[in-house]
Amino acid sequence: MTATTPATAPATTAQPRRFRLRLTRNRKARAGLLILAVYAFVAIFGPTLVTHLLGQSPTAFTGQVLAPPSAEHWLGTNQDGVDVFAQLIWGTRSSLLVGLIAASTSTVLSVLVGLVGGYYGGVLDQVLGAVTNVFLVLPGLPLVIVLAGYLQGRGGSIAVAIVIGVTGWAWGARSKRIQTVSLRNRDFVTNAKLMGERDARVMGAEILPNLLPVISSTLMLAVVTSILAVSGLEFLGIGDVNTVSWGSMLRQAQERQALFSGAWWWFVPPGAAITLLGAAAGLVNFGVDEITNPRLRVPRAPRVKGGRA
Amino acid sequence: MSATTGVAPVQTAGRRSGARGGALRVIARRCLFYLGTAWAAITLNFLIPRVMPGDPASVIITQLAQRQPITPETEQAIRALFGQPEGNIAQQYVDYLGELSQGNLGLSTTYYPQPVWEVISTGLPWTLTLVGVTTVIAFLLGTGLGILSGSRPGRLADSVMAPLATLLGSMPYFWVGTLALLAFSVTVPWFPSQNGSDLSLDPGLSVEFIASAIHHAVLPALTIIVSSIGGWFLGMRNMMITTIAEDYVQLAEAKGLSRWRVMMSYAARNAMLPQVAGLAISLGSVVGGSLLAEAVFAYPGVGYLFYQAVVSLDYPLMQALFLTISLSVLAANFVADSIYVLLDPRTREA
């Protein structure tokens, strides 16, 4: 939720591979990517490992209620006597999945709007631009809450994820439109047009590949912001309240007054998981900013007063 | 808002004749855009109950009928606001606008028989004060620290504050709120855990009430500031670093101006512009964040009302709140946008 929006990368778009290379070479971005990779690993393999190695389940009663962390229950148990660590790991999977669905939805929409508007220009571009601006200034969370309020849990978390995607594409569309505008008069695009290629093909085969670096980095950030949004909704009790996720864990802890029973192990871990994930995305964002704006690359050694990189 | 955020530096506003007129023209154009957006919000509000699954009008009528028999006029008004499965959609739109223009947003089903606008008007002062004050504090504090940090990038203060801001900005509002409750309400009982003021006091301008209201607002305000300050800080820091490398800042330094003067009058003044533009856009997310914070602290603002409306399926209240929040965010956006146009002469040329 930072105000710093992913900077666009006009200079790097022509060389997708080099952009990716530089992203892994940037220290901050590398740290962020590493954390994201750990989350992805936990989401994919974690639940299996927890079930088979630790023998814990995210829903089963363990016989102990509100037990503090121990060798057997790494993060203790909650008021229903369920292992919190198992819930956290399963929650990683469902939270990441929902975030991925929401982010994919918003990314597809933003690419469509940005690409079509930027490519054709004219009235179509102006209309799409106006729609984009409207979605940019309408407050997102209240809109999502109203829509989810009507869903009443119909369609489960996936429906909520799609709602988040449908309301959150505007920023991406704007940056992709700018990219497309800068590309549409390049020689290779003109060439393809003169060869008589259809517009759809020019957009899909000539321009889209050049947008990929921007798409991939914004997709990653969109996954994280979507997870934040979904957790907020689940915390409010909107959406599918029966799935085990970070948001629903926090909601349960709040409802059952975990605060007042001192069960910190119940509500600190899910919040910390969300925060660390958000920080990882922030680091990647930092790295992207440093790559696209070389002035931001700060040398580590203290500098002479007023010195420049 | 415009795409010209901080590209070429324009050091001082060269006030040519007609610059003011240009500003007015741009503001008039922005005004038109926001009116259009307001219309879009009103229309969305009309479409949502009709497009989404379910028949909210029937739900509302059933909810109300359980309390007391409802008159045909009331039923008709509800149908006009929330839709009927059969019937001409254009006619429905006209009816809806008609109800809206008379200020009729329906009756709240949870606070029956209060009209929703009455319910909302009890929450508005709380939220406006809370969000208004916290936004200003977070903006000033974040921007100020950003100037400090960005004027000496890589130094100790910067290398501590930048990662810290990233971390703070990643903490979800509702979790920060929960932690604040744990620390300052449960462990150390300094602040109350819910409500906007001592319920035994009558709201008014008495010293007692205001003191109690401030006491109750500390934790929600702290939550919003802590969660939103990171964004302001990072935005300003990055713009500052970019700006101090500009020729005119180097020239100012070479002239031997004091460091303070160079940083404030030359660098920060220009680096600030995107912050003001950012203010407009992030207002929407501040409102969303305050919604979550209010839910944690049971703070009696519009966010908490919204939360209650969704949980108890109070569609009239929910719709009216969405409309109110959207329109207020748009109005605030318009103000922030206009300030930006007055501050940055480049926006008037386009």
Side-chain angles (χ1 to χ4, degrees):
Chain A
M1 285 220 187
T2 52
T4 47
T5 47
T8 48
T12 49
T13 44
Q15 305 112 331
R17 197 165 297 129
R18 268 184 60 200
F19 179 83
R20 203 174 309 139
L21 244 169
R22 282 202 271 168
L23 200 59
T24 48
R25 218 177 278 157
N26 180 288
R27 214 161 46 94
K28 292 190 183 98
R30 206 168 49 215
L33 287 172
L34 193 70
I35 299 174
L36 292 180
V38 170
Y39 271 87
F41 178 84
V42 169
I44 296 168
F45 302 107
T48 322
L49 293 177
V50 166
T51 311
H52 293 290
L53 294 183
L54 296 176
Q56 300 294 352
S57 131
T59 46
F61 182 67
T62 57
Q64 289 167 290
V65 172
L66 284 180
S70 62
E72 193 189 352
H73 303 295
W74 293 1
L75 290 173
T77 60
N78 68 13
Q79 205 163 17
D80 294 328
V82 178
D83 187 79
V84 175
F85 183 72
Q87 283 201 319
L88 188 72
I89 300 301
W90 283 85
T92 309
R93 175 181 281 182
S94 60
S95 300
L96 253 60
L97 196 66
V98 169
L100 200 65
I101 295 169
S104 312
T105 311
S106 73
T107 303
V108 167
L109 282 174
S110 69
V111 169
L112 273 178
V113 172
L115 197 63
V116 169
Y119 179 76
Y120 285 106
V123 179
L124 183 64
D125 186 26
Q126 279 181 355
V127 171
L128 289 177
V131 175
T132 308
N133 281 334
V134 166
F135 270 90
L136 211 52
V137 290
L138 279 182
L141 194 63
L143 181 57
V144 171
I145 291 178
V146 168
L147 289 171
Y150 279 104
L151 283 175
Q152 285 306 316
R154 271 178 284 231
S157 322
I158 294 174
V160 175
I162 291 174
V163 163
I164 290 176
V166 167
T167 54
W169 51 269
W171 257 120
R174 185 180 251 207
S175 66
K176 273 146 217 154
R177 182 194 160 272
I178 297 171
Q179 293 285 304
T180 310
V181 168
S182 80
L183 289 168
R184 94 180 145 199
N185 292 326
R186 296 273 183 93
D187 288 343
F188 65 94
V189 176
T190 319
N191 211 5
K193 277 198 240 177
L194 289 177
M195 302 254 294
E197 299 281 15
R198 282 173 300 119
D199 284 342
R201 201 186 137 73
V202 178
M203 280 189 272
E206 305 291 341
I207 297 181
L208 190 63
N210 287 294
L211 295 180
L212 281 179
V214 188
I215 293 175
S216 62
S217 68
T218 51
L219 177 74
M220 207 152 48
L221 297 172
V223 171
V224 176
T225 40
S226 307
I227 290 175
L228 279 170
V230 176
S231 311
L233 290 179
E234 284 168 344
F235 177 75
L236 292 176
I238 297 162
D240 189 358
V241 283
N242 295 319
T243 43
V244 176
S245 66
W246 297 330
S248 67
M249 287 173 76
L250 285 165
R251 172 173 181 75
Q252 273 197 347
Q254 163 96 356
E255 268 185 336
R256 307 290 192 79
Q257 309 242 308
L259 270 184
F260 298 96
S261 55
W264 56 268
W265 57 86
W266 190 359
F267 61 83
V268 171
I274 298 173
T275 305
L276 184 62
L277 185 68
L283 285 172
V284 175
N285 206 359
F286 241 109
V288 173
D289 280 349
E290 284 185 2
I291 291 168
T292 54
N293 182 355
R295 283 174 184 169
L296 291 177
R297 282 176 224 157
V298 175
R300 256 183 289 170
R303 303 195 300 171
V304 187
K305 183 187 170 191
R308 312 263 171 265
Chain B
M1 285 298 298
S2 68
T4 58
T5 44
V7 195
V10 174
Q11 191 189 332
T12 43
R15 298 212 185 287
R16 289 155 312 178
S17 59
R20 286 265 172 240
L24 276 182
R25 222 175 17 252
V26 174
I27 290 176
R29 215 165 36 224
R30 302 304 299 160
C31 191
L32 217 61
F33 165 73
Y34 281 111
L35 284 178
T37 312
W39 169 76
I42 290 170
T43 307
L44 259 182
N45 203 47
F46 166 79
L47 287 175
I48 290 170
R50 289 168 174 78
V51 172
M52 297 303 280
D55 179 12
S58 303
V59 174
I60 298 161
I61 291 167
T62 323
Q63 278 172 341
L64 290 180
Q66 280 166 357
R67 315 234 185 178
Q68 62 169 71
I70 50 172
T71 60
E73 291 91 70
T74 316
E75 188 174 333
Q76 209 183 348
I78 293 170
R79 290 262 173 226
L81 287 166
F82 295 95
Q84 42 218 133
E86 72 285 346
N88 183 341
I89 194 95
Q91 183 56 42
Q92 285 188 40
Y93 189 52
V94 173
D95 289 347
Y96 162 82
L97 290 179
E99 292 289 335
L100 215 58
S101 64
Q102 291 166 25
N104 183 8
L105 295 166
L107 300 179
S108 162
T109 56
T110 32
Y111 294 89
Y112 191 77
Q114 269 187 303
V116 286
W117 64 263
E118 225 173 272
V119 179
I120 294 174
S121 61
T122 62
L124 267 180
W126 295 103
T127 299
L128 287 180
T129 324
L130 182 68
V131 175
V133 171
T134 49
T135 306
V136 170
I137 294 178
F139 178 81
L140 292 180
L141 215 59
T143 307
L145 290 174
I147 294 176
L148 275 182
S149 187
S151 65
R152 288 167 174 233
R155 294 295 185 87
L156 185 65
D158 178 50
S159 45
V160 171
M161 280 198 280
L164 194 67
T166 313
L167 200 66
L168 284 186
S170 317
M171 287 163 72
Y173 281 80
F174 52 94
W175 192 58
V176 176
T178 315
L179 293 183
L181 270 180
L182 175 70
F184 301 114
S185 187
V186 177
T187 315
V188 195
W190 284 346
F191 297 102
S193 63
Q194 54 183 1
N195 297 329
S197 68
D198 196 327
L199 294 179
S200 63
L201 297 169
D202 282 326
L205 285 176
S206 68
V207 177
E208 269 178 315
F209 173 75
I210 292 174
S212 162
I214 292 176
H215 191 215
H216 280 75
V218 171
L219 288 186
L222 206 68
T223 302
I224 298 175
I225 293 172
V226 164
S227 324
S228 61
I229 197 170
W232 300 123
F233 170 82
L234 290 175
M236 190 64 195
R237 171 191 177 270
N238 287 359
M239 266 320 287
M240 215 35 208
I241 295 177
T242 311
T243 312
I244 55 174
E246 298 286 353
D247 292 341
Y248 66 92
V249 178
Q250 295 191 313
L251 178 72
E253 253 170 26
K255 277 198 290 191
L257 294 179
S258 75
R259 189 181 159 72
W260 173 257
R261 178 113 189 259
V262 173
M263 283 311 148
M264 299 311 281
S265 314
Y266 286 73
R269 211 180 138 185
N270 284 297
M272 185 85 146
L273 291 170
Q275 287 288 98
V276 180
L279 182 65
I281 286 174
S282 49
L283 275 171
S285 66
V286 174
V287 169
S290 85
L291 206 151
L292 291 165
E294 283 181 16
V296 174
F297 293 99
Y299 194 79
V302 286
Y304 187 54
L305 285 175
F306 203 178
Y307 164 65
Q308 284 183 315
V310 173
V311 172
S312 55
L313 292 187
D314 189 343
Y315 291 117
L317 188 56
M318 193 165 94
Q319 292 281 158
L321 277 166
F322 169 67
L323 199 60
T324 314
I325 293 174
S326 307
L327 294 183
S328 351
V329 168
L330 292 184
N333 261 296
F334 176 63
V335 172
D337 247 15
S338 306
I339 295 175
Y340 187 62
V341 171
L342 292 177
L343 287 180
D344 188 348
R346 280 169 296 179
T347 56
R348 295 171 213 156
E349 284 157 17

